Amino acid sequence: MGVGLQIAGLMLTMKAANMQKAAYEAEAQAQEEQAEMAKIQASQQEVERNRKLRLQLASLGTSMSSQGVALGTSPSVLALADDEKKIAKNDIAAIRLMGLSNRRRYEVGAAGSRAAGRAAQLGGFAKTAAGAYSIGQGVGSA
């Protein structure tokens, strides 16, 4: 193989490595977008759970009022309201944890993609350098 073809091959190797790095970077950006979406989704679920809690407490108050029980005076009504609040608090904690877990998974994926891109680029550099050295030593030329 002539030196010109070897040089062209090395240039294509570098171009391929850079393109592979760009592909990994695009993948990393997509993962970061997914992480942001997981954050938004968890936030929306938290808001929805708080809304349901307010509706449940309002319904409880309305139900007790319709039965002639004064709000804030019945220990059993207060206990029910406290139970609803505790359940909602636990649900919200679970929502936050799952949201954080999903975000973290996507963030780790993005970091992995970037590392793979850097590795591909370094591999291309190494292959190009080895090829350049071979050309300089006269290896592979006829």
Side-chain angles (χ1 to χ4, degrees):
M1 183 189 305
V3 172
L5 285 177
Q6 286 179 311
I7 292 173
L10 294 176
M11 297 303 286
L12 288 174
T13 297
M14 279 303 301
K15 180 74 172 169
N18 287 331
M19 289 175 71
Q20 193 172 16
K21 182 182 182 209
Y24 280 120
E25 181 60 30
E27 185 178 313
Q29 288 177 350
Q31 296 260 351
E32 287 173 343
E33 289 172 9
Q34 288 292 329
E36 190 61 28
M37 291 299 291
K39 178 183 175 183
I40 291 168
Q41 183 180 17
S43 178
Q44 289 174 338
Q45 288 174 341
E46 183 178 342
V47 166
E48 179 61 21
R49 184 59 182 102
N50 277 320
R51 187 188 70 77
K52 284 182 180 180
L53 172 63
R54 286 191 304 277
L55 288 173
Q56 287 171 323
L57 293 176
S59 175
L60 179 62
T62 302
S63 175
M64 292 298 115
S65 292
S66 69
Q67 296 175 19
V69 177
L71 295 176
T73 60
S74 171
S76 58
V77 173
L78 292 173
L80 286 172
D82 284 345
D83 284 347
E84 289 296 329
K85 289 176 187 175
K86 286 178 187 172
I87 291 169
K89 182 180 177 181
N90 289 338
D91 288 350
I92 289 169
I95 289 168
R96 286 178 181 166
L97 179 63
M98 288 305 297
L100 184 62
S101 174
N102 286 337
R103 274 183 65 199
R104 184 71 181 138
R105 184 181 72 224
Y106 289 122
E107 288 168 351
V108 167
S113 292
R114 284 200 172 91
R118 285 190 297 274
Q121 191 175 39
L122 286 174
F125 288 151
K127 193 171 184 179
T128 301
Y133 177 77
S134 294
I135 292 171
Q137 296 299 312
V139 177
S141 60

